């Protein structure tokens, strides 16, 4: 842009000075060189700044489209897409594919009813942090909606999934949650399915959700897992 401005400025200055029968001289060349620098440099700075601002805005929009604003986990759509893409890859024979856990806060409606939704949101953030502390950095955590979370454990077999699920359950049960100075124990029920062959997300979610209902119906604050066929 600056080079083009320089050429244009020289041409215009030459035409201007020739109009007064002076021709192109040293002063004209100096003016032609200084003019685009004076005009072009600020313009380049402005365009660069605007480009960075737009890039930052696009990054923010991408985050808003994939991250749950309350818990900083992936939202349901982003979680589903990420896990679905991973499940579409063919699992090599003899290797463990992974596991899907569904975590649901027990009797969460009573928390909102007793203490209000602001404290309920605080409880969800505490649970989300407990989940993230209990998994590896390459595992995927998403908020599926309400008080339900999904966890995809990359490469985990059934034994590993059970270990992680129990750690999450135990960590949540040890949380100190006391809205308005009133102790309020938190607990979660966890259902899950591990797989070693290629699986679709819908089927894996259905199996994990079945185990979640089993955990709920047999007393809550417990884990129920299965190995997908």
């Amino acid at each position: 842009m600056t080079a083009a401005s320089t050429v244009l400025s020289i041409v215009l200055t030459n035409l201007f000075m020739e109009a007064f029968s002076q021709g192109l001289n040293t002063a004209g060349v100096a003016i032609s060189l200084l003019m685009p620098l004076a005009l072009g440099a600020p313009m380049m700075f402005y365009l660069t700044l605007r480009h960075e601002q737009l890039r930052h805005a696009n990054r923010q929009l991408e985050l808003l489209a994939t991250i749950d604003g309350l818990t900083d986990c992936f939202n349901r759509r982003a979680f589903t897409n990420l896990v679905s893409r991973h499940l579409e890859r063919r699992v090599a024979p003899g290797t463990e594919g992974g596991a899907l856990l569904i975590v649901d806060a027990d009797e969460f409606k009573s928390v909102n009813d007793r203490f209000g939704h602001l404290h309920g949101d605080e409880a969800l953030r505490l649970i989300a942090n407990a989940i993230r502390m209990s998994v590896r950095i390459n595992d995927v955590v998403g908020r599926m909606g309400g008080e339900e979370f999904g966890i995809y454990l990359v490469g985990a077999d059934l034994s590993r999934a059970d270990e992680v699920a129990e750690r999450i359950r135990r960590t949540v049960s040890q949380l100190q949650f006391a809205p308005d100075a009133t102790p309020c124990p938190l607990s979660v029920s966890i259902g899950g399915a591990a797989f070693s062959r290629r699986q679709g997300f819908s089927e894996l979610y259905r199996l994990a959700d079945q185990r979640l209902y089993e955990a709920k119906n047999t007393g809550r604050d417990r884990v129920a897992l299965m190995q997908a066929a």
Side-chain angles (χ1 to χ4, degrees), residues 51-71:
H51 176 74
E52 287 301 315
Q53 289 174 336
L54 288 173
R55 196 160 62 130
H56 176 72
N58 286 334
R59 283 199 301 267
Q60 295 299 110
L61 288 174
E62 288 175 3
L63 285 176
L64 289 174
T66 59
I67 301 298
D68 174 62
L70 178 64
T71 62

Side-chain angles (χ1 to χ4, degrees), residues 13-27:
T13 302
N14 186 42
L15 292 175
F16 176 80
M17 297 187 73
E18 282 184 348
F20 289 90
S21 302
Q22 294 182 6
L24 185 61
N25 54 28
T26 303

